[in-house]
Amino acid sequence: MEKRWVQKEPIHNESKESLAKALNISVDLTELLLQRGVTTFEEAKTFFRPSLNHLHDPFLMKNMDRAVNRLCDAIFSQEKILIYGDYDVDGTTSVSLVHGFLSKYSEQMSYYIPDRYTEGYGISFQGIEHAKAEGVRLIISLDCGIRAVDQAALARSYGIDLIICDHHLPGEVLPDALAVLDPKQADDHYPYKELSGCGVGFKLLQGFCMQNSIDLEELFQFMDLLAVSIASDIVPITGENRVMAFYGLKKLNQSPCPGLKALIEISGLKGELDISSIVFYIGPRINATGRLTHAHDSVRLLTAKDTSETEAFAEVLNAKNSERKEFDKSITEEALEMVAADEQLKIARSTVLFKNDWHKGVIGIVASRCIEKYYRPTIILTESSEKATGSARSIEGFDIHDAISQCSDLLEQFGGHTHAAGLTLPIENVPAFQQRFEEVVASSIASEILTPKIDVDLEVQLDFVNYKNYSIIKQMSPFGPHNQQPVFVTRGVTLKYPPKIVKEEHLKVSIYQDDPKFVYEAIGFGLAEKAELIQQNQTFDIAYQIEENDFRGNKSLQLNIKDVKIA
């Protein structure tokens, strides 16, 4: 697939040279810092040396004092407390962290995760009824609840107090809860708005510790779970999240909780774990239970203390993930065949597909896979409870939630945000919806954004690739949304030897620029089709990231090629 290379505009900052001098780094590396909003020596110090002292005071969050006071009362009075969380990774890690921590101070703790299929997303009426039946006096909801107006009213009518810890955008009416903790509330002046759901739960516990003079080190033992939520929920790795992710990854690498340790082992992960390790290996295994059966299994694993237990639970999650992969693969193949067989659909500006027997738990993943082949806004629908229900995924620069809202008269319900959404409609409306959605997209999408984009940080010469520069780039991690691993472009490189194809789909090359004595090794994952192109041309340009390759203990730098263009 053809890609656009979009180079960031050079930042003309008068202090660039002096900052480079003060930090004893090159002007190119200083440019990377300026792109990340780091403009002074002090800011650079904070950026390169994250500290737990950089975490904000939790009591700056609206309603935190009220929430902490109620939690303290419930624990000291030995009231029954229910920890309620969503069924995705952010929800299950939130429940595991809050339940795991508070269980040290109360024996009256229980948890509840709704069933994806019978209850759906968020606080359910069944969940509130369960709490009433169990004699619960306080519910703490995590990663959900900000729009649960009717459910909050039901809890109040039963005399159950509700503390909502959420990070999603509030609606026009807030639930009538005892306390709503959500930094995205318009009148909340908390300094950082991009916490994960687990992050908001963590702040509640930080406030609880501070109020009761509990050593925060006790809470910091749970930061590996927090890092898993931050990585898996794709929140920005900036500000407070970056500090949490930094220390959470440290814990994950040095002494993970037994459940995560078992997942790391069963995933076959070796070496230092980073955000990508969580996104591609740990997160999907935790998510698989909620997709296919019930997310309780994930919480059981993440809160287990005994190694024999964790190994058995990890096996369950691994098996579910393998099953999920099979569903995902077969449905994706079917979906792509449907597009390929329809001439109109092949040239359309959107993809909307419906088949009544596709598995509801994986259609969001299938939508993302379809975008890898046909880069355009995509909706995958299946049948559930005699309705068509589906997941929508967008491409960068197109608001899919807004496009769906223009078809709302055909829908029963929908919700989500710019990049992803969920929707339900009568099955008989599917053809009309497919037509209307295509009309909306075709009339509003800019042609250029239908070509995937590679954001390029800097154009450099190949001799920029050395261990001194790499060690400084590495200190800019953890990498993730809003702090991506830098992408470089080098123009006019030449092959030293013919390219090799690895495992039929990857490209391996040895290249140089100007002087054939200085050769650089490079790998391009999924770029095997570029081999012929570069063989026929004397010189070519590459977009790449710099990585360290560890082959049987021998470490060397290699280029991870993202794309190739003819010079």
Side-chain angles (χ1 to χ4, degrees), residues 82 112 126-137 139 160:
L82 180 73
Y112 187 94
Q126 291 99 308
I128 303 293
E129 295 294 350
H130 167 83
K132 182 194 177 197
E134 293 294 313
V136 167
R137 305 288 301 148
I139 297 174
I160 301 170

Side-chain angles (χ1 to χ4, degrees), residues 274-501:
D274 58 13
I275 296 291
S276 295
S277 317
I278 297 171
V279 171
F280 294 112
Y281 294 93
I282 298 171
R285 284 170 168 80
I286 296 172
N287 235 341
T289 57
R291 288 186 185 282
L292 300 188
T293 49
H294 202 290
H296 278 146
D297 289 340
S298 295
V299 179
R300 287 188 190 111
L301 170 70
L302 297 175
T303 53
K305 301 279 183 281
D306 190 287
T307 312
S308 59
E309 268 191 316
T310 57
E311 283 175 4
F313 288 139
E315 289 283 358
V316 170
L317 266 66
N318 205 45
K320 289 290 165 213
N321 192 50
S322 300
E323 197 183 329
R324 187 270 307 165
K325 280 181 180 169
E326 285 304 312
F327 279 126
D328 156 9
K329 187 169 179 281
S330 63
I331 296 171
T332 300
E333 283 168 4
E334 235 181 305
L336 292 175
E337 280 165 15
M338 285 166 78
V339 178
D342 185 324
E343 290 304 317
Q344 281 303 108
L345 205 45
K346 272 204 294 199
I347 58 167
R349 293 293 176 103
S350 68
T351 303
V352 182
L353 302 172
F354 168 75
K355 193 157 184 287
N356 65 348
D357 62 353
W358 283 343
H359 196 293
K360 189 181 171 186
V362 300
I363 51 177
I365 299 172
V366 171
S368 299
R369 295 263 188 271
C370 289
I371 287 173
E372 289 170 16
K373 173 80 174 166
Y374 296 99
Y375 189 74
R376 58 203 194 189
T378 298
I379 299 175
I380 302 294
L381 299 160
T382 186
E383 186 177 338
S384 177
S385 308
E386 300 180 348
K387 306 278 182 199
T389 186
S391 283
R393 296 290 182 270
S394 196
I395 59 174
E396 192 177 340
F398 185 79
D399 186 337
I400 203 160
H401 185 269
D402 180 61
I404 292 169
S405 72
Q406 293 180 53
C407 312
S408 59
D409 56 303
L410 298 169
L411 308 176
E412 287 194 357
Q413 62 183 72
F414 70 98
H417 48 84
T418 310
H419 300 299
L423 62 160
T424 304
L425 64 158
I427 291 174
E428 61 270 21
N429 286 3
V430 169
F433 175 75
Q434 286 170 313
Q435 188 181 339
R436 174 91 63 83
F437 186 74
E438 170 62 20
E439 286 167 3
V440 169
V441 175
S443 65
S444 59
I445 199 162
S447 296
E448 68 165 24
I449 71 168
L450 288 164
T451 305
K453 178 174 76 149
I454 293 178
D455 284 310
V456 175
D457 292 76
L458 280 179
E459 186 175 320
V460 295
Q461 298 296 298
L462 260 191
D463 60 7
F464 176 83
V465 181
N466 58 51
Y467 262 103
K468 186 185 176 191
N469 288 339
Y470 172 72
S471 70
I472 289 166
I473 291 165
K474 201 169 177 234
Q475 289 175 61
M476 295 179 181
S477 68
F479 296 119
H482 299 261
N483 183 39
Q484 295 288 4
Q485 187 174 348
V487 173
F488 303 99
V489 160
T490 297
R491 303 197 185 274
V493 302
T494 307
L495 283 176
K496 175 77 173 172
Y497 310 110
K500 290 178 187 162
I501 305 295

Side-chain angles (χ1 to χ4, degrees), residues 242-255:
R242 188 163 172 270
V243 176
M244 291 168 168
F246 180 88
Y247 283 95
L249 281 168
K250 211 171 181 175
K251 177 84 171 63
L252 195 64
N253 279 295
Q254 291 171 3
S255 57

Side-chain angles (χ1 to χ4, degrees), residues 216-236:
L216 282 169
E217 278 304 319
E218 286 193 35
L219 176 59
F220 296 156
Q221 294 309 305
F222 291 81
M223 287 191 96
D224 47 357
L225 290 166
L226 183 51
V228 171
S229 95
I230 288 168
S232 301
D233 222 53
I234 325 289
V235 291

